[in-house]
Structure formats: C-alpha cells, structure tokens
C-alpha cells in the first residue's frame, strides 16, 4: 500500500478513544510525534486502485510519526490506528510518510 495524501488535526476533547497511552514500541514502532486525529487519507492499494479513508465520530483514525526498528535510519513513517471494540486495543497500519512502499 502506498500513501498518497493525509490530512490531520490536533486531538480535541470530544474525540473518542484517542490512543494517548498506546505503547507502540512493543510492536517495533518508536513514536516521535504526538498523536493526531486523521481527517482523511488516500492510499493506493496495489492491483486494486486508489481508496480514500475518512474518520467518523463513531470510527476515528489517529496517526503519529515515528520509525520502525531499533535504529532510526531516517525513514519517517506514520502509524495509523483505529480503536478496537475491546478497550485498550487498536488496529494498526504503518505507512511511509513520503508515500513509498513498505
């Protein structure tokens, strides 16, 4: 999957299930920015075309910048998360900030 564009804003008090305490380091993602609310993003899913994903009040998407692995090789990535129906669990996807392949 290739990230084409993303629009984000600061998390506001009314945003539900913000992952402020989510420990992504246990999954190999080292966060370097604050979590933000994703208004929408567009991605190209290989062999399937382009898709636009939007947050809704009932199904928000959050993102933070960071890197994967033990050392920062200069490759900045986004960790995009959607809250899971079970408390303190999230669905995560990792995309290159510059739109390159993972």
């Amino acid at each position: 999957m290739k990230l084409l564009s993303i629009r984000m804003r600061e998390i506001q008090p009314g945003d539900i299930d913000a992952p402020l305490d989510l420990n992504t380091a246990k999954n190999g993602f080292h966060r370097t920015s604050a979590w933000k609310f994703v208004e929408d993003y567009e991605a190209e899913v290989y062999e399937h075309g382009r898709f636009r994903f939007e947050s809704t009040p009932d199904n928000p998407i959050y993102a933070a910048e960071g890197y994967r692995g033990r050392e920062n090789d200069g490759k900045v990535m986004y960790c995009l998360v959607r809250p899971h129906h079970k408390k303190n669990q999230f669905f995560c996807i990792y995309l290159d900030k510059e739109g390159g392949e993972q």
Side-chain angles (χ1 to χ4, degrees), residues 14 16 57 66 94:
I16 63 166
Y94 301 96

Side-chain angles (χ1 to χ4, degrees), residues 16-18 83-90:
I16 63 166
D17 296 326
H84 190 274
H85 66 278
K86 293 182 179 178
K87 196 75 171 158
N88 297 326
Q89 292 186 18
F90 292 83

Side-chain angles (χ1 to χ4, degrees), residues 6 11 16-20 22-24 27 29 31 35-38 41 55 59-64 78-84 89-95:
I6 189 167
I11 293 175
I16 63 166
D17 296 326
L20 301 177
L22 181 65
N23 180 8
T24 56
N27 297 326
F29 182 79
R31 191 166 51 91
W35 288 105
K36 294 193 177 194
F37 183 89
V38 175
Y41 72 96
S55 285
N59 196 9
I61 304 169
Y62 298 97
Y78 286 115
C79 174
L80 285 89
V81 299
R82 283 190 186 262
H84 190 274
Q89 292 186 18
F90 292 83
F91 296 106
C92 297
I93 186 170
Y94 301 96
L95 298 171

Side-chain angles (χ1 to χ4, degrees), residues 63-79:
E65 290 185 11
Y67 63 94
R68 291 187 84 178
R70 297 184 143 212
E71 297 178 18
N72 185 355
D73 61 358
K75 187 176 181 181
V76 179
M77 304 183 81
Y78 286 115
C79 174

